[in-house]
Amino acid sequence: MPRLAVLGHPVGHSRSPAMQNAALAELGLGEEWSYEAIDAAPDAFEARVRRMADEGFVGANVTIPHKGAALALADESSEIAGKVGAANTLVFERGSIRADNTDAGGLLRALPGSPRGRRALVLGAGGAARAAIWGLAQAGAAVYVWNRTPARADATYAEIAAHIELGGAAEESPRQEDYGIVVNTTSVGLHGEDPFAHLPLSPAKFADQVVVDMVYGKEPSALLNAAERGGAHTVDGLEVLVQQGALSLEIWTGCEAPIEVMRAAARA
Ligand code: ATR
């Protein structure tokens, strides 16, 4: 019976078990495969992962705060996981642990069209930002990075630009109107903060852009509400979660993921 899981801390709020079990059922694998949530504190994470293969696990998703540790303990890693410096997907196979990152690909699949040739503004400079920067750059966008702490934007930009053409810059005062794509990877909005008090954006300056907010909750975020009123195409963090989960499921099962079923389950 192949087992799958998401490891996080905390993990109780995760939509992944509902979404992935619905997908497994739709694929006709629900009687054999299962997907559960496992809460692991940081000091217990590595030992927990190393027991998993013996317990029948064939793969796992990894979420906050374990994405860096997941990459570090793996025997092999995909190019994108290595370059992003974080893994959200593990595969247990023949006694070895392989790390992958589907966050970058998930963001790309959540966009309404190709970012090729467009200017993309990434807000933030943490792990979520690094995946977004890589994904957008690989897909041919010119990538600009803003962060509350500008030195961190400079460092993240320079580090990634050493490996791939970014075609943009670290920006301290970006002009919102100049970007076809805006991606918020900061935690602003997670605890009800006003995005327009903390991010270099104005609710009056959205146009027909694509605006992605990785933050998600029960209601659309204040950022996405304002972007939609301004005529933007909005993408929420739950759609990115669905798409990264679909890519992970495809890695583990080799089956094409049933996106509609996963989306419905994630939003239920
Ligand atoms: P992750 O790995 O999930 O991206 P992280 O590394 O903790 O998480 O990054 C959080 C991001 O949110 C950072 O870019 C952080 O900005 P700083 O580098 O200046 O800390 C950003 N962030 C958090 N709170 C913020 C706020 N109130 N205003 C603006 N940016 C904020």
Side-chain angles (χ1 to χ4, degrees), residues 64 67 86 123-130 146-150 152-153 184-189 193-195 197-200:
I64 290 169
K67 290 184 184 184
L123 306 175
R130 296 175 61 87
W146 171 91
N147 193 51
R148 171 178 62 180
T149 312
R152 210 173 161 213
N184 175 38
T185 75
T186 75
S187 52
V188 172
E193 305 92 330
D194 174 5
H198 296 274
L199 302 176

Side-chain angles (χ1 to χ4, degrees), residues 98-131:
R98 201 166 79 236
D100 209 332
N101 186 312
T102 65
D103 287 330
L107 169 64
L108 293 177
R109 296 226 309 207
L111 298 177
S114 167
R116 182 162 299 282
R118 303 188 79 182
R119 290 161 67 98
L121 176 64
V122 174
L123 306 175
R130 296 175 61 87

Side-chain angles (χ1 to χ4, degrees), residues 115 117-121 141-144 167 171 175 178-182:
R118 303 188 79 182
R119 290 161 67 98
L121 176 64
V143 186
Y144 294 77
E171 280 285 358
R175 273 168 37 101
D178 291 347
Y179 300 94
I181 301 168
V182 178

Side-chain angles (χ1 to χ4, degrees), residues 223-250:
L223 172 59
L224 292 189
N225 275 333
E228 193 158 326
R229 280 196 299 274
H233 182 117
T234 58
V235 177
D236 69 1
L238 211 44
E239 181 62 18
V240 179
L241 180 87
V242 168
Q243 298 292 348
Q244 64 79 35
L247 289 169
S248 296
L249 185 72
E250 290 172 4

Side-chain angles (χ1 to χ4, degrees), residues 1 10 15 28 40 48 88 93 111 158 160 171 175 193 250 266:
M1 296 293 206
R15 298 304 302 149
R48 186 71 198 83
N88 76 326
E93 215 172 42
L111 298 177
I160 299 180
E171 280 285 358
R175 273 168 37 101
E193 305 92 330
E250 290 172 4

